[in-house]
Amino acid sequence: MRLGAARFVAGETIDDAVPVLRRLNAQGLATNTTLLGESVRDHGETKRVTDAYVGIVDRLADERLRCNVALKLTHLGLDLDEELAYSNVRRVVEHARGRGMFVRIDMEQSAYVEATLRTYRRLREAGLENVGTVLQAYLHRTAHDLEELLPLRPNLRIVKGAYLEPPEVAMPRKADVDAAYARLVERMLASGAFVAVATHDERLIEHAIRAAPSRDAFQVQMLYGVRPQLQLQLVRRGHDVLVATPFGPEWYPYLTRRLGERPANLLFLVRNLARR
Ligand SMILES: Cc1cc2nc3c(=O)[nH]c(=O)nc-3n(C[C@H](O)[C@H](O)[C@H](O)COP(=O)(O)OP(=O)(O)OC[C@H]3O[C@@H](n4cnc5c(N)ncnc54)[C@H](O)[C@@H]3O)c2cc1C
């Protein structure tokens, strides 16, 4: 953590994360937090993760932070059993509803998209409104998925997509992904759905700002430690900006995805190492 993960991760415990979240809130930024972890393959462990999320919801609410939670279904048992992941996430979403909090289900590798969207739909059909999920612009299937979800008036976060996927599944060319991203955001705004524009790509953020009928129609979302000056500039322009601010001892896979997106970050870590 000291070597540089702390730039992207708000510590290993919720006690570490709370002051970071409070500082971001004080700068006018909304936040969400995540207990880092994925691919849990042990029943008892999924129960502990679910209990931990229930505790995190209470702590964030008690601290009166402008913060909600984002979680991964494989952290709650999706690799073991979809039904188990459903009942675990439902418990968190129901608990969060009681505390007036929203829960976002992150999107993982393409093999999980079908089950993730099914789980999201089931939660909404069970009457839970305080839940949203994520669509990845790089997947060929996503425009179709969005059309299927729009009748639910979904709260969706649009991202480019963070995983290595084969060309049959995902667009290999960045220009195609960027164009698909812009189309998804336009489609959501035109349909009146709320869209979380989660990107550090200034061109796409400006495109969303121009396309939105009002400032309430969208929120810009960025990652903790990535383009913090841009985050604050957008707040100063009056936009709603959320900083996704994860914590937890299992930060390594998250960090490697951030490094993969921008090899310059590796240089940042190596410099920190050299300074020690
Ligand atoms: C709030 C949030 C939630 C996300 N949730 C998911 C999810 O559930 N599932 C999923 O698959 N992906 C998720 N992602 C990751 C996303 O898919 C991309 O991998 C990531 O955002 C990088 O793409 P970009 O949109 O910023 O555009 P890029 O074209 O990659 O980057 C645009 C510019 O932003 C800057 N930048 C981008 N990434 C970094 C970085 N790591 N470090 C420093 N600068 C950087 C650079 O200046 C770059 O030129 C999420 C991203 C955000 C912001």
Side-chain angles (χ1 to χ4, degrees), residues 178-274:
D178 292 355
Y181 191 106
R183 282 195 301 273
L184 292 167
V185 169
E186 280 167 22
R187 178 72 184 107
M188 286 199 70
L189 290 170
S191 79
F194 179 83
V195 55
V197 180
T199 180
H200 314 95
D201 187 329
E202 261 181 284
R203 229 171 28 86
L204 286 173
I205 294 170
E206 292 301 331
H207 171 266
I209 290 171
R210 283 193 306 274
S214 78
R215 285 184 180 162
D216 302 336
F218 71 102
Q219 178 180 57
V220 177
Q221 300 193 343
M222 294 191 223
L223 300 176
Y224 180 62
V226 180
R227 309 212 63 185
Q229 292 312 320
L230 179 59
Q231 296 168 10
L232 293 174
Q233 276 166 28
L234 288 164
V235 168
R236 282 196 288 273
R237 284 169 60 189
H239 296 295
D240 184 14
V241 181
L242 176 145
V243 182
T245 310
F247 74 93
E250 291 177 43
W251 43 263
Y252 187 72
Y254 177 82
L255 181 67
T256 53
R257 282 198 289 276
R258 303 295 75 88
L259 297 178
E261 279 154 7
R262 195 162 156 80
N265 289 338
L266 196 58
L267 203 62
F268 167 83
L269 291 200
V270 171
R271 276 207 204 102
N272 279 4
L273 192 63

Side-chain angles (χ1 to χ4, degrees), residues 91-105:
R91 195 177 140 221
V92 178
V93 174
E94 282 178 338
H95 188 76
R97 180 172 62 177
R99 305 289 320 240
M101 198 180 291
F102 179 80
V103 176
R104 172 90 53 198
I105 304 174

Side-chain angles (χ1 to χ4, degrees), residues 1 5 8-9 12 34-41 72 74-75 106 108-109 162-164 223 246-261 265 269:
M1 187 68 74
F8 300 105
V9 175
E12 298 208 339
T34 295
L35 172 61
L36 290 170
E38 48 203 275
S39 313
V40 169
R41 291 192 170 83
K72 290 190 172 19
T74 68
H75 203 194
D106 287 344
E108 302 176 69
Q109 291 89 334
Y163 301 89
L164 202 60
L223 300 176
F247 74 93
E250 291 177 43
W251 43 263
Y252 187 72
Y254 177 82
L255 181 67
T256 53
R257 282 198 289 276
R258 303 295 75 88
L259 297 178
E261 279 154 7
N265 289 338
L269 291 200

Side-chain angles (χ1 to χ4, degrees), residues 67-100:
C67 186
N68 54 52
V69 295
L71 47 76
K72 290 190 172 19
L73 290 182
T74 68
H75 203 194
L76 298 187
L78 186 59
D79 281 324
L80 286 167
D81 173 14
E82 188 173 329
E83 208 49 43
L84 173 72
Y86 173 73
S87 67
N88 285 339
V89 70
R90 183 170 174 157
R91 195 177 140 221
V92 178
V93 174
E94 282 178 338
H95 188 76
R97 180 172 62 177
R99 305 289 320 240

Side-chain angles (χ1 to χ4, degrees), residues 125-202:
E125 286 168 0
L128 292 160
E129 301 277 335
N130 62 316
V131 61
T133 189
V134 179
L135 292 180
Q136 297 156 320
Y138 65 4
L139 297 183
H140 299 304
R141 58 175 291 163
T142 294
H144 177 74
D145 287 336
L146 176 58
E147 293 307 318
E148 302 264 287
L149 289 172
L150 281 178
L152 294 174
R153 291 188 63 77
N155 177 329
L156 297 174
R157 173 205 288 157
I158 305 293
V159 300
K160 290 191 188 180
Y163 301 89
L164 202 60
E165 300 284 356
E168 309 81 68
V169 172
M171 300 166 198
R173 290 183 48 226
K174 182 173 157 46
D176 293 336
V177 178
D178 292 355
Y181 191 106
R183 282 195 301 273
L184 292 167
V185 169
E186 280 167 22
R187 178 72 184 107
M188 286 199 70
L189 290 170
S191 79
F194 179 83
V195 55
V197 180
T199 180
H200 314 95
D201 187 329
E202 261 181 284

